[in-house]
Short mmCIF file of all heavy atoms in Angstrom, two decimals:
data_model
loop_
_atom_site.label_atom_id
_atom_site.label_comp_id
_atom_site.label_asym_id
_atom_site.label_seq_id
_atom_site.Cartn_x
_atom_site.Cartn_y
_atom_site.Cartn_z
N ILE C 25 12.58 25.95 -31.77
CA ILE C 25 12.03 24.72 -32.30
C ILE C 25 10.81 25.00 -33.16
O ILE C 25 10.04 25.92 -32.89
CB ILE C 25 11.63 23.74 -31.15
CG1 ILE C 25 10.60 24.38 -30.23
CG2 ILE C 25 12.82 23.29 -30.37
CD1 ILE C 25 10.09 23.43 -29.16
N LYS C 26 10.69 24.24 -34.23
CA LYS C 26 9.58 24.38 -35.14
C LYS C 26 8.64 23.21 -34.99
O LYS C 26 9.05 22.04 -35.13
CB LYS C 26 10.09 24.47 -36.58
CG LYS C 26 10.95 25.70 -36.85
CD LYS C 26 11.42 25.77 -38.28
CE LYS C 26 12.24 27.04 -38.54
NZ LYS C 26 12.71 27.13 -39.94
N PRO C 27 7.39 23.44 -34.66
CA PRO C 27 6.43 22.35 -34.42
C PRO C 27 6.33 21.36 -35.57
O PRO C 27 6.10 20.18 -35.36
CB PRO C 27 5.11 23.08 -34.20
CG PRO C 27 5.49 24.44 -33.71
CD PRO C 27 6.77 24.77 -34.43
N THR C 28 6.52 21.81 -36.79
CA THR C 28 6.36 20.94 -37.95
C THR C 28 7.52 19.97 -38.11
O THR C 28 7.36 18.89 -38.71
CB THR C 28 6.21 21.77 -39.22
OG1 THR C 28 7.34 22.67 -39.33
CG2 THR C 28 4.92 22.59 -39.20
N THR C 29 8.69 20.31 -37.58
CA THR C 29 9.87 19.46 -37.78
C THR C 29 10.44 18.87 -36.50
O THR C 29 11.37 18.09 -36.55
CB THR C 29 10.98 20.29 -38.47
OG1 THR C 29 11.31 21.42 -37.66
CG2 THR C 29 10.53 20.76 -39.84
N PHE C 30 9.88 19.25 -35.33
CA PHE C 30 10.43 18.78 -34.06
C PHE C 30 10.16 17.29 -33.86
O PHE C 30 9.03 16.82 -34.02
CB PHE C 30 9.82 19.58 -32.91
CG PHE C 30 10.34 19.16 -31.57
CD1 PHE C 30 11.59 19.56 -31.13
CD2 PHE C 30 9.57 18.36 -30.72
CE1 PHE C 30 12.07 19.17 -29.88
CE2 PHE C 30 10.05 17.98 -29.48
CZ PHE C 30 11.29 18.39 -29.05
N LYS C 31 11.21 16.55 -33.51
CA LYS C 31 11.07 15.12 -33.28
C LYS C 31 11.36 14.78 -31.81
O LYS C 31 10.54 14.22 -31.11
CB LYS C 31 12.01 14.33 -34.19
CG LYS C 31 11.58 14.46 -35.67
CD LYS C 31 12.40 13.59 -36.57
CE LYS C 31 11.89 13.69 -38.01
NZ LYS C 31 12.67 12.85 -38.94
N LEU C 63 4.85 19.12 -28.09
CA LEU C 63 4.05 20.26 -28.57
C LEU C 63 2.56 19.97 -28.65
O LEU C 63 1.80 20.77 -29.17
CB LEU C 63 4.56 20.72 -29.94
CG LEU C 63 6.06 21.07 -29.99
CD1 LEU C 63 6.47 21.41 -31.41
CD2 LEU C 63 6.38 22.23 -29.07
N PRO C 69 -0.10 26.22 -32.63
CA PRO C 69 1.24 26.72 -32.34
C PRO C 69 1.77 27.58 -33.48
O PRO C 69 1.44 27.38 -34.65
CB PRO C 69 2.06 25.42 -32.22
CG PRO C 69 1.32 24.43 -33.03
CD PRO C 69 -0.14 24.76 -32.89
N PRO C 70 2.60 28.58 -33.13
CA PRO C 70 3.22 29.42 -34.17
C PRO C 70 4.27 28.62 -34.95
O PRO C 70 4.58 27.48 -34.60
CB PRO C 70 3.86 30.54 -33.37
CG PRO C 70 4.08 29.96 -32.00
CD PRO C 70 2.96 29.00 -31.78
N GLU C 71 4.81 29.24 -35.96
CA GLU C 71 5.80 28.56 -36.77
C GLU C 71 7.07 28.24 -35.98
O GLU C 71 7.78 27.27 -36.28
CB GLU C 71 6.17 29.42 -37.99
CG GLU C 71 5.02 29.59 -38.98
CD GLU C 71 5.44 30.37 -40.19
OE1 GLU C 71 6.64 30.76 -40.27
OE2 GLU C 71 4.60 30.59 -41.07
N GLU C 72 7.36 29.06 -34.97
CA GLU C 72 8.56 28.85 -34.17
C GLU C 72 8.23 29.08 -32.69
O GLU C 72 7.54 30.03 -32.34
CB GLU C 72 9.67 29.80 -34.62
CG GLU C 72 10.97 29.62 -33.85
CD GLU C 72 12.05 30.58 -34.30
OE1 GLU C 72 12.65 30.34 -35.35
OE2 GLU C 72 12.26 31.59 -33.60
N MET C 73 8.74 28.19 -31.84
CA MET C 73 8.56 28.32 -30.40
C MET C 73 9.92 28.22 -29.70
O MET C 73 10.90 27.74 -30.30
CB MET C 73 7.61 27.24 -29.86
CG MET C 73 6.24 27.26 -30.49
SD MET C 73 5.11 26.05 -29.75
CE MET C 73 4.75 26.83 -28.17
#
Side-chain angles (χ1 to χ4, degrees):
I25 59 175
K26 296 181 179 180
T28 54
T29 59
F30 180 78
K31 293 186 177 180
L63 304 176
E71 293 183 1
E72 181 181 282
M73 302 185 73

